[in-house]
Amino acid sequence: MLHYAIVFLVIALIAGVLGFGVIAGTAASIAKILFLVFLVLFVVSLVMGRRGPGV
C-alpha cells in the first residue's frame, strides 16, 4: 500500500510540473489518503504484534 501512495505522489509531482492542476491535486489527495491508511495499518500491526504468545 505504501508503494501505491508513492506512485500517486510521483504522478502528482509530474502532473504538477506539467501544469495539470486538477490531476495533480487528485493524485496528491489519493496519495495522502493511502499513506494515512498505511500508517494506521502499520500502527495496528505493531500493537497486535506486541501481544504475548498464547493470547
Side-chain angles (χ1 to χ4, degrees):
M1 189 171 313
L2 182 61
H3 177 267
Y4 292 130
I6 293 171
V7 168
F8 277 108
L9 179 63
V10 169
I11 291 172
L13 290 174
I14 292 171
V17 168
L18 294 177
F20 300 110
V22 175
I23 296 172
T26 304
S29 64
I30 291 172
K32 286 179 190 177
I33 291 169
L34 287 176
F35 185 71
L36 288 175
V37 170
F38 168 77
L39 281 178
V40 168
L41 291 176
F42 177 70
V43 169
V44 167
S45 68
L46 281 179
V47 170
M48 295 301 239
R50 293 203 180 252
R51 282 206 223 158
V55 172

